[in-house]
């Protein structure tokens, strides 16, 4: 009887702790990197799934997707991994829930598919630079012409004095 | 003698034309947008009051008192090539909210993009590079709430080295990222070589 009185609050505390710390329950599945430009590849890993129990299944859900991905590799740090290619994915956040080969859940994780590169957020009119270059070219040409004219005039003057 | 006079006339016309074009060219050169400090500024969030995230709501207006911005917001996503869309260039006073991401006030980073300039001159985020840590950004939402953010830092990144994770990545805070163009204008490519990113954290 005493044992029951002690165990109930302890179990309640553990359950409350699990509710307050959802990250702890999510830690067994990882996605790396957690953010990828659309078209990039992320690696899904079920860290506590035993390869001897069979392939792990990663259930990927998100804005336009509900698909299963089967593990293909034994992860270097333990568990099972698969690569996921995000070409054609809609931008947004996706959830990956892993199930081990023996049917046990290995938790879940999220990753985000983002636009590629930066933003083309400028639209200035660059024609001022072109006009400047054209003007400089005309000025240089006129300067060259002036030099030629001056030489001709000098030669003509020299010839007249001979 | 006639040839000499003709030549002199031609040289004079060329000089006058050249000077005119140079003058027009200088007058038409657009102003260069201000840039963040060359050394870069930290983009770590300052200690902010502990505020619970807000539910999702579409933002409708961005205000940045320090640089006199008060602009309506439209939704943007990505184009067919996967690049971030920007508001239409014929509406340079409008900024765009990245709809697939967090809304301002939600947990995570809300992203707002705006043009730095347009053929008509400076655009909505022309002065973004002038912002400094502590400056405030206010976002009004469709649910009648106004979310206030404080700037943590402003940095410029080459477009081919855009910090995707810092801008869009998940985080444990309610953040805001403002994006525009900056750096040198590449005449050959017809675009700026950098993106200016403002990092901000919710304060109220």
């Amino acid at each position: 009887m005493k044992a029951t009185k002690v165990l109930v609050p302890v179990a309640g505390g553990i359950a409350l702790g699990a509710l307050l710390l959802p990250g702890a329950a999510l830690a067994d599945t990882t996605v790396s990197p957690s953010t990828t430009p659309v078209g990039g590849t992320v690696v899904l890993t079920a860290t506590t799934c035993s390869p001897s129990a069979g392939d792990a299944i990663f259930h990927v859900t998100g804005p336009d997707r509900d698909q299963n991905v089967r593990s293909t590799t034994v992860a270097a740090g333990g568990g099972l991994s698969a690569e996921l290619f995000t070409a054609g994915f809609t931008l947004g956040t996706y959830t990956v829930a892993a199930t081990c080969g023996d049917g046990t859940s290995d938790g879940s994780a999220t990753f985000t598919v983002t636009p590629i590169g930066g933003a083309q957020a400028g639209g200035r009119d660059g024609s001022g630079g072109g006009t400047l270059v054209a003007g400089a070219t005309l000025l240089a040409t006129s300067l060259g012409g002036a030099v030629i004219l001056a030489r001709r005039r000098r030669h003509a003057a020299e010839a007249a004095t001979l | 003698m006639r040839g000499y006079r003709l030549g002199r006339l031609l040289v004079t016309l060329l000089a006058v034309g050249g000077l005119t074009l140079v003058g027009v060219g200088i007058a038409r050169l657009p102003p260069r947008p201000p840039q963040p400090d060359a050394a870069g500024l930290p983009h770590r969030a300052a200690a902010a009051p502990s505020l619970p995230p807000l539910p999702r709501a579409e933002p409708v207006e961005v205000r940045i008192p320090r640089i006199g911005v008060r602009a309506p917001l439209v939704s943007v996503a990505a184009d067919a090539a996967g690049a971030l869309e920007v508001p239409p260039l014929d509406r340079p006073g409008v900024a765009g909210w990245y709809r697939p991401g967090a809304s301002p006030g939600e947990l995570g980073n809300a992203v707002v993009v705006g043009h730095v300039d347009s053929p008509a001159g400076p655009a909505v985020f022309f002065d973004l590079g002038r912002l400094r840590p502590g400056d405030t950004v206010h976002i009004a939402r469709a649910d009648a709430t106004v979310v206030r953010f404080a700037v943590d830092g402003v940095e410029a990144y080459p477009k081919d080295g855009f910090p995707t994770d810092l801008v869009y990545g998940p985080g444990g805070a309610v953040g805001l990222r403002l994006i525009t163009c900056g750096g040198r204008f590449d005449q050959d490519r017809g675009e700026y070589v950098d993106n200016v990113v403002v990092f901000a954290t919710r304060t109220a």
Side-chain angles (χ1 to χ4, degrees):
Chain A
M1 192 62 183
K2 276 186 178 177
T4 306
K5 285 180 179 175
V6 172
L7 282 175
V8 169
V10 169
I14 292 171
L16 183 63
L19 285 173
L20 293 175
L21 296 170
L26 301 178
D28 291 341
T29 292
T30 62
V31 182
S32 180
S34 60
T35 301
T36 178
V38 62
T41 300
V42 292
V43 177
L44 319 176
T45 303
T47 58
T48 61
C49 286
S50 169
S52 60
D55 291 341
I57 299 295
F58 300 97
H59 186 208
V60 181
T61 53
D64 67 339
R65 201 153 291 260
D66 188 339
Q67 73 175 96
N68 286 328
V69 179
R70 186 175 289 275
S71 64
T72 55
T73 313
V74 176
L80 293 164
S81 289
E83 288 189 342
L84 180 63
F85 186 41
T86 62
F89 274 49
T90 297
L91 305 180
T93 298
Y94 292 78
T95 299
V96 179
T99 304
C100 300
D102 60 7
T104 59
S105 169
D106 199 43
S108 64
T110 61
F111 68 97
T112 303
V113 176
T114 75
I116 299 169
Q120 302 298 337
R124 69 187 259 182
D125 180 1
S127 61
T131 310
L132 207 57
V133 170
T137 306
L138 285 187
L139 275 178
T141 308
S142 72
L143 188 64
V147 169
I148 292 170
L149 284 178
R151 280 185 179 172
R152 281 190 179 175
R153 191 175 191 186
R154 195 178 63 203
H155 288 156
E158 285 172 359
T161 55
L162 289 176
Chain B
M1 195 63 184
R2 189 170 171 228
Y4 175 77
R5 282 181 183 165
L6 195 63
R8 200 170 63 176
L9 179 65
L10 189 62
V11 164
T12 305
L13 287 175
L14 283 173
V16 170
L19 282 172
T20 305
L21 286 178
V22 166
V24 169
I26 289 173
R28 288 178 64 180
L29 277 181
R32 190 162 184 265
Q35 298 299 295
D37 288 349
L41 294 166
H43 48 72
R44 286 185 176 80
S50 179
L51 299 167
L54 299 174
R56 189 173 181 83
E58 190 169 335
V60 294
E61 184 182 80
V62 55
R63 282 191 292 123
I64 313 174
R66 167 96 155 80
I67 55 175
V69 168
R70 181 172 192 149
L73 288 165
V74 296
S75 292
V76 297
D79 62 21
L84 180 63
E85 287 177 336
V86 291
L89 202 52
D90 59 358
R91 297 176 66 194
V94 169
W97 164 58
Y98 175 66
R99 190 179 58 250
S103 66
E106 267 191 304
L107 192 61
N109 297 323
V111 177
V112 173
V113 59
H115 287 289
V116 68
D117 55 18
S118 76
V124 60
F125 280 173
F126 183 81
D127 284 322
L128 216 57
R130 283 179 50 210
L131 291 180
R132 294 293 178 266
D135 289 339
T136 57
V137 181
H138 303 175
I139 304 274
R141 313 192 326 161
D143 63 359
T145 58
V146 176
V147 190
R148 290 177 173 78
F149 297 87
V151 172
D152 303 314
V154 187
E155 295 198 38
Y157 299 93
K159 283 180 179 171
D160 56 5
F162 190 75
T164 299
D165 196 48
L166 286 174
V167 172
Y168 301 102
V174 177
L176 177 69
R177 307 290 185 252
L178 306 175
I179 304 172
T180 193
C181 277
R184 181 177 59 83
F185 186 80
D186 187 329
Q187 292 282 358
D188 295 333
R189 291 162 58 188
E191 62 172 312
Y192 288 93
V193 297
D194 293 342
N195 274 131
V196 172
V197 181
V198 172
F199 299 84
T201 304
R202 183 185 174 204
T203 56

